[in-house]
Amino acid sequence: MPIKTIQSFFILWLFGYITVFSQTSKFTFQRPKMGSPFVITVFAHDSLALSPIIEKAYARVDTLNQIFSDYLDNSEINTVCQTAKIWQTISPDLYHVLKISETAHQVSDGAFDVTVGQIIKVWRKARKTKQMPDKATLQAALDKIGFKNIQINKNMPQMRFNTEGVLLDFGGIVKGFAAQEVVDILTKNGFPYCLVDAGGDLVAGKKPMLQPSTSSGWKIAISLPNANDEMMPRLLSLENQAVATSGDMYQFFEHKGKKYSHIVNPKTGLGVTHQRNVTVIAPDGATADWLATTCSILPIRRAKRLIKKFPHTALLILENKKGKIKSVQSSQFAKYFSIN
């Protein structure tokens, strides 16, 4: 599965100048989690009541990281990958996200794939050593990719591998999933006016408690695919939705004048070579995350067809071609632009 970009400047949340109800304050918390800044913003009346819920939320993120991190030797995914052809009981969280990923794999015709760990490992080494992987190395990694290599029990949280050496990588879905989990925790505990930024994967709760009460939702800016950190002039306005942007501006490997993104096509084993930022709006964080990852790989027409399969989703593709930005968006995207 292609690794989702972690720079939070691909999507930034903005407030501007606002007037807040006299009894309500804005609280912002930031901690390094899952390899990037994990920011929680909440409008609340009671900071004392909020504090333990924030601790609960960050503890949930730590739990998910211990399950899904491919950098931790003792993470659950690294542990289960050590045993092939034996049914293993897995955590409910891994089972749940694995099932989502299986559906995503099917509906995307294999463009989204969490079994790409071996090919991701190859390209991480390539970026580090500045050496292009040879064809034999790429093919060996490609042989370990595909849901044909794993089995998931349909009735209980169990899985097994059909092939030895398969590595799982949930980098294109888990941050969105984690951000959604935090918003759900805050909402269930009485703090629904929140925004969570998991390294660029954002999930918005209820719109900020601003004055006037008719104010729009959380303001979110989208970056342009160039090296100047420029933003689109229009902002998004979201409430109870998620937005994710996948891009390749700062993570790539260059060989013979061609840039290969850290976003890897699981069918070819190669990093994508187009310079593109893909933004997806969806009802939940996991869906926004994996769709943004997948639409970074697919040709634009196929990406638009994929988005149509999901209600209440929208797609924006900004592609840099020789310094000129080409913009393509689904029919629903424009309605999310802020009007004030």
Side-chain angles (χ1 to χ4, degrees):
M1 172 178 50
I3 298 182
K4 174 76 170 53
T5 185
I6 64 173
Q7 282 86 354
S8 61
F9 42 71
F10 274 120
I11 299 182
L12 302 176
W13 51 268
L14 305 175
F15 290 104
Y17 296 98
I18 58 177
T19 303
V20 185
F21 286 123
S22 59
Q23 294 182 337
T24 304
S25 299
K26 184 185 78 172
F27 301 92
T28 301
F29 308 84
Q30 177 175 318
R31 298 181 189 178
K33 301 290 181 183
M34 293 185 162
S36 59
F38 203 107
V39 184
I40 302 174
T41 302
V42 185
F43 281 88
H45 299 287
D46 187 351
S47 61
L48 292 178
L50 175 62
S51 181
I53 307 306
I54 294 296
E55 295 303 318
K56 182 178 181 179
Y58 277 125
R60 176 65 173 143
V61 177
D62 288 337
T63 296
L64 293 174
N65 191 59
Q66 186 62 44
I67 293 170
F68 292 101
S69 173
D70 63 327
Y71 288 97
L72 298 176
D73 291 338
N74 64 342
S75 69
E76 183 176 2
I77 65 167
N78 281 337
T79 300
V80 299
C81 286
Q82 295 173 8
T83 305
K85 300 183 179 180
I86 296 175
W87 283 104
Q88 302 177 74
T89 299
I90 58 178
S91 66
D93 286 318
L94 177 53
Y95 184 70
H96 178 56
V97 178
L98 195 59
K99 292 287 288 181
I100 296 173
S101 300
E102 182 181 36
T103 300
H105 177 81
Q106 294 168 348
V107 75
S108 67
D109 192 27
F112 182 83
D113 200 320
V114 296
T115 68
V116 295
Q118 286 287 6
I119 201 70
I120 295 300
K121 186 177 179 181
V122 168
W123 282 100
R124 283 177 182 169
K125 182 178 179 180
R127 290 198 302 273
K128 184 178 180 180
T129 62
K130 309 299 182 184
Q131 296 292 321
M132 185 74 173
D134 58 62
K135 291 183 179 180
T137 300
L138 287 173
Q139 187 57 54
L142 278 170
D143 290 342
K144 306 297 183 182
I145 294 176
F147 267 77
K148 65 182 183 297
N149 292 318
I150 63 176
Q151 290 180 262
I152 306 169
N153 191 310
K154 304 300 181 183
N155 301 312
M156 61 184 67
Q158 291 184 337
M159 68 170 294
R160 72 176 179 182
F161 295 91
N162 298 324
T163 305
E164 293 185 358
V166 177
L167 296 180
L168 299 174
D169 188 302
F170 290 87
I173 188 172
V174 73
K175 285 186 180 179
F177 179 77
Q180 186 67 60
E181 288 288 292
V182 170
V183 168
D184 291 347
I185 288 171
L186 291 167
T187 300
K188 290 176 182 177
N189 286 274
F191 299 98
Y193 306 97
C194 58
L195 179 74
V196 175
D197 178 357
D201 290 294
L202 281 77
V203 178
K206 284 188 176 183
K207 65 183 179 182
M209 299 170 63
L210 310 181
Q211 189 72 273
S213 59
T214 56
S215 61
S216 57
W218 295 90
K219 300 299 190 297
I220 297 168
I222 304 172
S223 71
L224 297 174
N226 57 37
N228 300 320
D229 294 345
E230 293 181 80
M231 297 292 167
M232 286 185 66
R234 298 190 66 182
L235 303 178
L236 299 177
S237 180
L238 302 180
E239 180 182 22
N240 295 323
Q241 290 162 303
V243 59
T245 288
S246 182
D248 59 354
M249 275 301 302
Y250 298 94
Q251 295 190 68
F252 58 84
F253 169 72
E254 188 168 357
H255 178 69
K256 294 183 178 180
K258 181 177 288 188
K259 292 181 179 180
Y260 294 88
S261 169
H262 72 291
I263 303 169
V264 178
N265 186 331
K267 292 192 173 183
T268 65
L270 299 175
V272 298
T273 56
H274 45 247
Q275 190 175 339
R276 178 191 295 179
N277 279 4
V278 175
T279 298
V280 172
I281 298 169
D284 66 273
T287 301
D289 196 353
W290 80 256
L291 280 173
T293 300
T294 305
C295 291
S296 296
I297 297 168
L298 293 173
I300 290 176
R301 286 185 179 181
R302 288 184 59 194
K304 291 179 71 176
R305 288 201 301 266
L306 177 62
I307 289 295
K308 288 181 179 179
K309 296 179 181 180
F310 295 86
H312 312 297
T313 61
L315 169 71
L316 172 68
I317 296 177
L318 299 174
E319 195 161 85
N320 190 332
K321 290 190 173 183
K322 298 180 180 181
K324 294 183 179 181
I325 306 298
K326 176 184 178 182
S327 175
V328 177
Q329 64 188 49
S330 65
S331 59
Q332 297 296 311
F333 198 90
K335 71 179 184 180
Y336 295 108
F337 282 120
S338 176
I339 59 175
N340 58 7

